[in-house]
Amino acid sequence: MSTEALARLAEERVDHRFKGLPPDADGRTVGELAAQRRNLFTDDFPTPVLALSAERLEHNLALMETYAARHGLAFAPHGKTSMAPQLFHRQIEHGAWGITLAVPHQVRVARAFGIQRVFLANELIDTAALRWIAGELAADPGFRFVCYVDSVRGVELMDSALKGSARPLDVVVELGAGEGARTGVRTESEALAVAGAVSDTGTLRLVGVAGYEGEVPRADPARVRSYLRRLVALAVELDEGGRFGEAEEVIVSAGGSAWFDAVAEVFEEIPGLSLPVLKLLRSGAYVSHDDGHYRRLTPFSRVPEEGALEPAFRLWAQVVSRPTPEQAFVNAGKRDAAYDLDLPTAQVVRRNGVERAATGVTVTGLSDQHAWLRTEPGADVEVGDWIGLGLSHPCTSFDKWQLIPVAEADGTVVDYIRTFF
């Protein structure tokens, strides 16, 4: 099913739904357009246009594959970053155990493209969604689904929705990262109560513990490691209490994109349990990385001998106005660029086929369809120039583009990534 579904993506017709593509591509299939290997800069791609670097994308996929293997971690990257089934499958080809998702719609997308292992890093109490997932589990013995629980009430609602299901639904107790953090039980006693409630159902099976260290208040290495050690200790306590009796393995899971070095370090300390342990890392933003938030916080910057992720996105926009010597405007704005954490950064200027550094050019703000540029004295920028922008926060870059060209370093477009948000 996954091969057929991916093939159908190549059969989709290009039309007005997809911004940033050549106007004369209308009516062609995505596969036909990819086969033409057009050049991003010379073959009629209009601006703004978002592109993924083919080389950097492959580098990032390979780097996290070797990182996880080196540290004995299973890897279920957070697919909500991209919501791109083509990338899901490339991640699995690079050793991923499965895909992490956040809401039922995302699970439906993953299943439509044949993903066999899904870790839902969220509570799930919606009756319709639970019954749909129960149907998927019943119809496909090879489908593995795991989700969070963090309250007795949530367990009761799940149990009610799943009465009569053919297979129990696997759940992990979510341990919150501290007061003021997001979801998850706040205390170990609450976790034990939730685990007990799961054991009292016939519809749920407790298989582990999980959390998100990125929510640790005032996060620093010591606080993050302290939280992760609480998570490990909870797994040990639940195992000693016999709460994983129906499981085949114990899942201990954490790992956003900012602290996975701490996850690797602490998970190495997990003692032997009564069952095999699946140490599951869930970092997702690595696949494209970025030029802002994660580039500053990446664990590889703290442990450089492990390697380095490379920003794979670049948004190309064109200078459309130069009203003063200190100011210019390009034709990309909030509809095109991530801006929830950091503004884009001006990286290169392209004119007449020649690229140079965007020296003296700074993005100071975004309107709906314009980026505001401050140009310092001597900045060589004129109307018609293309500006290559680096972006922050991949999670809100992918969701603005439904079909993203994958370009080699010389601009040759070799593929198109379809997203589903």
Side-chain angles (χ1 to χ4, degrees):
M1 180 174 68
S2 63
T3 302
E4 294 174 0
L6 289 174
R8 285 196 295 273
L9 289 180
E11 296 167 1
E12 191 168 14
R13 296 285 172 182
V14 174
D15 57 26
H16 61 276
R17 292 170 297 162
F18 306 120
K19 63 183 180 180
L21 300 185
D24 68 351
D26 277 14
R28 291 180 170 85
T29 68
V30 173
E32 289 169 346
L33 186 58
Q36 290 180 343
R37 294 178 64 87
R38 296 196 184 197
N39 189 279
L40 191 70
F41 307 113
T42 61
D43 288 329
D44 299 326
F45 285 83
T47 55
V49 57
L50 180 69
L52 269 169
S53 163
E55 296 89 352
R56 292 184 170 197
L57 179 62
E58 178 59 29
H59 168 85
N60 292 342
L61 288 165
L63 181 64
M64 284 302 292
E65 178 183 15
T66 58
Y67 181 90
R70 185 183 306 127
H71 293 280
L73 300 169
F75 190 33
H78 218 314
K80 60 95 176 172
T81 298
S82 69
M83 282 309 297
Q86 292 149 286
L87 295 183
F88 294 173
H89 282 277
R90 288 189 66 177
Q91 289 169 313
I92 289 169
E93 289 166 3
H94 279 275
W97 171 91
I99 298 296
T100 297
L101 297 165
V103 293
H105 157 70
Q106 296 169 356
V107 182
R108 292 188 65 191
V109 172
R111 289 298 290 159
F113 288 90
I115 300 303
Q116 287 294 90
R117 290 175 177 165
V118 171
F119 187 98
L120 190 76
N122 207 347
E123 281 68 34
L124 179 58
I125 59 169
D126 181 86
T127 298
L130 285 164
R131 289 176 178 169
W132 175 79
I133 288 168
E136 290 289 295
L137 291 167
D140 184 355
F143 177 40
R144 178 88 190 272
F145 178 86
V146 183
C147 71
Y148 283 177
V149 290
D150 77 345
S151 69
V152 171
R153 172 62 175 163
V155 169
E156 292 170 348
L157 291 171
M158 295 177 75
D159 182 46
S160 176
L162 292 168
K163 291 294 187 185
S165 298
R167 289 171 57 187
L169 188 105
D170 287 349
V171 297
V172 292
V173 175
E174 182 193 9
L175 179 65
E179 290 303 321
R182 202 162 54 190
T183 53
V185 297
R186 294 303 193 248
T187 67
E188 281 72 8
S189 62
E190 290 174 322
L192 294 175
V194 172
V198 171
S199 298
D200 291 339
T201 74
T203 59
L204 304 176
R205 181 174 71 161
L206 187 67
V207 298
V209 299
Y212 175 45
E213 75 290 342
E215 284 288 317
V216 170
R218 304 179 305 282
D220 62 24
R223 289 188 178 94
V224 168
R225 286 172 173 79
S226 176
Y227 163 70
L228 291 168
R229 290 189 174 104
R230 282 185 62 205
L231 187 67
V232 169
L234 176 60
V236 172
E237 185 174 5
L238 290 171
D239 184 56
E240 291 174 346
R243 294 301 188 183
F244 302 128
E246 300 300 319
E248 298 171 359
E249 62 185 0
V250 176
I251 296 174
V252 183
S253 179
S257 294
W259 294 101
F260 56 76
D261 55 334
V263 174
E265 177 184 322
V266 173
F267 279 14
E268 287 180 0
E269 303 169 3
I270 296 176
L273 302 182
S274 63
L275 295 166
V277 178
L278 184 73
K279 304 173 184 180
L280 192 62
L281 180 69
R282 304 193 309 271
S283 308
Y286 83 97
V287 67
S288 62
H289 199 40
D290 71 1
D291 280 290
H293 179 73
Y294 287 114
R295 191 170 197 176
R296 293 191 301 271
L297 295 177
T298 175
F300 291 117
S301 67
R302 294 188 291 270
V303 194
E305 61 269 24
E306 296 270 19
L309 294 168
E310 297 178 353
F313 269 139
R314 180 164 282 173
L315 176 63
W316 289 97
Q318 198 164 20
V319 178
V320 294
S321 181
R322 189 81 159 96
T324 74
E326 298 81 25
Q327 197 174 37
F329 292 86
V330 295
N331 61 347
K334 292 179 181 178
R335 301 288 183 257
D336 313 298
Y339 61 92
D340 57 321
L341 294 179
D342 298 296
L343 288 172
T345 56
Q347 296 180 328
V348 296
V349 178
R350 185 177 181 89
R351 182 188 301 164
N352 298 326
V354 177
E355 285 184 20
R356 54 183 168 77
T359 304
V361 182
T362 305
V363 178
T364 60
L366 294 177
S367 299
D368 284 349
Q369 304 294 169
H370 293 93
W372 298 55
L373 305 185
R374 183 179 67 244
T375 54
E376 298 175 6
D380 182 14
V381 174
E382 62 183 38
V383 171
D385 289 348
W386 281 38
I387 308 292
L389 301 171
L391 302 177
S392 178
H393 203 190
C395 298
T396 52
S397 296
F398 278 102
D399 65 358
K400 300 178 188 301
W401 296 82
Q402 291 184 301
L403 197 61
I404 303 171
V406 179
E408 294 179 340
D410 66 356
T412 301
V413 176
V414 296
D415 200 1
Y416 295 83
I417 299 296
R418 184 71 157 92
T419 64
F420 293 86
F421 283 92

